Amino acid sequence: MKRSDFWRTALVMAVIFLLMYGLNHLMPLHRDDYDYSMIWLTGEHVGSFSGVMESLWRHYLFHGGRMVTVFCLDLFLWTGKGIFDFANALMFLLLLVLLVIHARRDWHFWREPGILAVLGILAWLSFPHFGEVAVWKSGSTVYLWSAVFAALFLVPYNLHLKAMGEGQARPRNWLLLPMFALGVLAGWSVENLAVTVFVLTAGLSWWVKRKGKLPLWMPAGAFGALAGLVLLVAAPGNFVRYDAQGSGKGIFVHIGNQFAGNGEMVLYLLPVILLLIAAGRIYRLHLAADARAGGETAEPSGQAFGWGRMLCLAVIVLLVVSYFNGSFFAAALRDFLVAHVLAPLGLDKPRTVEHFANVMVGFEEMAIYWLAIFFFYSLLKRALGFSHESLASARTVSWRSALHAFPAARYAAFLIALALFNNFVMIAAPTFPARATFSSVAMILVAVCAVLRDPVVQGELEKKAQKTLFLASAAICAFTMIAALLITAAMQEENAARLAIVKQAAENGEEIAYMKPILLKNRALRHVFFVDFDNGVTKDGLCKYYGIKDICVER
């Protein structure tokens, strides 16, 4: 290992931690955080460790079985937001480190600062509803923290399988009790991930038993995951919540949820999918007898910016300028569509126009993001020599041949299949929100990193497309990160002003707090999570927490 690799890794880790700490620090208590700051269903503020445990037990009886994640949330809400901000940023960094370990299939994550940086960028862009699952306290403890527990638990299994392939597997009997305990944590997490973890570890234990001597810690870990899963799904509170959310929903609703949840995940994974497509083409070109990636079939360098690319870049610049200057383009487009499309169709009722305006709030950031991704992908294809002739040559090699020839490709395919299974488990749930795909996205991120570090793919990208990928990452991440920090800071100020109104109403003995709506709507591709104070969940928790009866947002 080069000494410089260690320090570059440390620098990447510091940047990731500081970004996440900044977002956590700016993110106030919000929505469910107020409910969990009180002993469950009592309205009494949690003021001691015994209060944390009482709230945890009441939650288990009346709402759900996620005892591990709820304990972490309640504990940190009691001890203070500042401690949680630090811990949550650290947990996000730990998750990325564990994903690099799974991609490398060894502990030496510090040897590849580039892969850690790439993973950090892809995680920032690809985790669905990022602000909700990685920054917001009630969301991050469920999805981010559960993923950390599961990823840590699965590392010994992954490393043992690799050691078996190299003929160096050892029994490591001292892992018996730690793996059982970690299995309980991983299984007692979030429902679909808990099922996947148990099925995976039980299946791997059976497979290893067939291949040779089975270390006792492997089935012990699987039994721990099963115990955690049983404690999770058998909670009385699950049946209470299912009666409220799942009543009357037939199998077709559950199947429809699969299309919605997986579809939204794919939208967030667009950069990852394009990278996997590029890697697959590199593999097939490498195997083709009459072509190599980036041979004589590459476009001449003078064609880097045709009229199509120039127009796309001009539109991106226009939208970025508009986005940071009051979104004048989106406002003009909104007004034009209302006047010349909705009105002639008779769809200009106030409520309809309001919903349409809310959709248009996120138009520019989504347009910038999608146009930028496809713009840079067109440059990537050119840099790699993906012309019609070279791709025709690649198509002479089957995908099965590529999977057979490259172990990294097989490993990635297995992880993608596992991610889809992890999503399929959600068919048992009455709803399938995009945030529930968090652990599946984490698996797919491991898959793409495993492929990107394969010497065949890595060599082509570093030789021909390194500058293009760097420019794409810098441009897209700079836009989204700056927007997220600015919007989160503005949202914090808006939240503080309205929270002061609620506190003042409570001190004055008033039953209702009156306030103006929060005009800020942009969410930076959902890296910022907030809703106004009259939302049902937010209003109910705030009213109970501060002891008032209602919040009225003057529309």
Side-chain angles (χ1 to χ4, degrees):
M1 182 191 70
K2 297 179 180 178
R3 187 177 180 85
S4 58
D5 287 342
F6 175 84
W7 290 112
R8 280 197 290 265
T9 301
L11 178 61
V12 172
M13 293 174 67
V15 170
I16 294 170
F17 176 82
L18 289 174
L19 172 65
M20 292 304 299
Y21 180 77
L23 288 173
N24 277 273
H25 177 71
L26 292 172
M27 178 71 189
L29 296 183
H30 189 52
R31 282 176 65 91
D32 301 56
D33 295 340
Y34 289 102
D35 290 304
Y36 285 101
S37 296
M38 299 177 284
I39 296 175
W40 195 255
L41 298 180
T42 67
E44 179 184 346
H45 292 203
V46 174
S48 64
F49 185 75
S50 62
V52 170
M53 300 308 295
E54 181 184 353
S55 182
L56 188 64
W57 178 243
R58 290 180 63 84
H59 185 277
Y60 192 74
L61 292 177
F62 301 115
H63 191 71
R66 299 170 183 173
M67 296 277 277
V68 173
T69 57
V70 172
F71 171 74
C72 295
L73 174 62
D74 284 354
L75 182 67
F76 281 105
L77 287 174
W78 167 53
T79 55
K81 178 181 177 298
I83 299 175
F84 181 88
D85 294 341
F86 182 89
N88 202 48
L90 194 61
M91 288 295 278
F92 184 81
L93 178 60
L94 179 57
L95 176 64
L96 296 191
V97 167
L98 288 169
L99 297 186
V100 172
I101 290 171
H102 279 288
R104 286 181 53 88
R105 306 188 75 186
D106 65 41
W107 290 103
H108 305 142
F109 68 92
W110 55 85
R111 293 181 176 175
E112 288 189 87
I115 289 296
L116 180 59
V118 168
L119 179 61
I121 292 167
L122 294 178
W124 172 260
L125 297 176
S126 301
F127 277 132
H129 297 204
F130 190 93
E132 190 174 354
V133 298
V135 181
W136 177 47
K137 290 148 192 59
S138 293
S140 59
T141 47
V142 172
Y143 299 102
L144 170 60
W145 292 46
S146 291
V148 170
F149 296 144
L152 179 61
F153 169 62
L154 292 173
V155 166
Y157 288 90
N158 201 343
L159 270 56
H160 185 80
L161 292 177
K162 181 183 179 184
M164 282 182 61
E166 297 172 348
Q168 299 178 358
R170 290 182 289 176
R172 303 181 190 276
N173 293 327
W174 61 272
L175 282 173
L176 183 67
L177 291 179
M179 288 302 292
F180 178 82
L182 278 175
V184 173
L185 286 179
W188 207 350
S189 54
V190 63
E191 290 78 9
N192 61 325
L193 180 59
V195 172
T196 301
V197 164
F198 166 66
V199 170
L200 178 62
T201 53
L204 290 177
S205 298
W206 172 80
W207 186 82
V208 171
K209 175 66 175 175
R210 288 192 60 190
K211 293 295 182 179
K213 189 173 181 180
L214 175 66
L216 293 179
W217 61 263
M218 293 187 75
F223 278 116
L226 177 61
L229 174 61
V230 170
L231 291 168
L232 173 68
V233 300
N238 281 329
F239 301 97
V240 175
R241 187 170 60 169
Y242 190 86
D243 287 342
Q245 297 181 356
S247 178
K249 293 184 177 180
I251 184 61
F252 291 108
V253 173
H254 290 250
I255 294 173
N257 290 340
Q258 284 288 307
F259 288 100
N262 283 282
E264 192 166 357
M265 181 188 75
V266 168
L267 292 178
Y268 279 96
L269 279 172
L270 181 61
V272 172
I273 292 170
L274 293 177
L275 281 174
L276 286 172
I277 290 173
R281 287 172 169 174
I282 290 173
Y283 279 140
R284 296 170 78 185
L285 282 168
H286 187 80
L287 294 176
D290 57 344
R292 291 292 183 268
E296 291 78 16
T297 56
E299 297 178 33
S301 58
Q303 297 179 9
F305 277 85
W307 284 108
R309 292 190 183 109
M310 290 290 289
L311 179 60
C312 182
L313 186 59
V315 173
I316 291 172
V317 171
L318 169 64
L319 292 174
V320 170
V321 172
S322 172
Y323 184 78
F324 287 107
N325 289 276
S327 296
F328 58 83
F329 182 85
L333 180 61
R334 176 200 63 209
D335 295 342
F336 176 84
L337 292 175
V338 169
H340 298 281
V341 178
L342 297 185
L345 294 174
L347 300 175
D348 55 343
K349 295 179 181 179
R351 192 65 176 171
T352 303
V353 173
E354 181 183 354
H355 285 309
F356 180 71
N358 287 335
V359 172
M360 288 301 295
V361 165
F363 165 77
E364 284 180 339
E365 59 189 30
M366 286 301 299
I368 293 167
Y369 182 59
W370 281 67
L371 287 173
I373 286 175
F374 285 115
F375 172 77
F376 284 113
Y377 184 66
S378 71
L379 295 181
L380 177 66
K381 289 196 300 181
R382 179 190 177 277
L384 292 172
F386 290 166
S387 64
H388 293 295
E389 293 80 7
S390 66
L391 293 181
S393 175
R395 284 191 287 271
T396 63
V397 178
S398 68
W399 285 105
R400 180 177 295 181
S401 299
L403 290 174
H404 179 75
F406 301 101
R410 294 196 300 274
Y411 181 49
F414 171 77
L415 288 170
I416 293 171
L418 187 66
L420 295 177
F421 172 80
N422 189 56
N423 281 352
F424 178 75
V425 174
M426 288 298 296
I427 199 168
T431 60
F432 186 8
R435 60 180 179 270
T437 67
F438 183 92
S439 51
S440 297
V441 170
M443 298 172 197
I444 296 173
L445 290 178
V446 175
V448 71
C449 286
V451 168
L452 291 178
R453 62 180 302 273
D454 187 316
V456 171
V457 176
Q458 189 178 39
E460 287 297 311
L461 293 178
E462 288 183 348
K463 181 171 62 176
K464 300 174 181 176
Q466 192 173 35
K467 292 181 180 179
T468 300
L469 291 174
F470 177 80
L471 180 61
S473 302
I476 295 174
C477 287
F479 167 68
T480 54
M481 289 177 184
I482 291 172
L485 288 168
L486 291 176
I487 294 171
T488 304
M491 182 267 294
Q492 183 195 48
E493 293 180 2
E494 297 273 9
N495 179 83
R498 285 154 183 79
L499 200 58
I501 295 173
V502 175
K503 292 178 180 178
Q504 188 64 50
E507 292 175 2
N508 295 341
E510 299 170 2
E511 294 185 343
I512 303 176
Y514 296 91
M515 62 189 67
K516 295 180 180 180
I518 295 176
L519 299 178
L520 185 66
K521 300 293 184 181
N522 289 328
R523 299 186 182 184
L525 298 173
R526 294 191 180 270
H527 286 81
V528 180
F529 176 65
F530 71 92
V531 292
D532 217 330
F533 278 36
D534 60 346
N535 173 271
V537 176
T538 303
K539 181 170 67 173
D540 292 346
L542 270 170
C543 289
K544 290 177 183 177
Y545 190 83
Y546 286 104
I548 63 175
K549 289 189 176 181
D550 199 6
I551 294 174
C552 180
V553 176
E554 301 168 351
R555 298 292 179 180

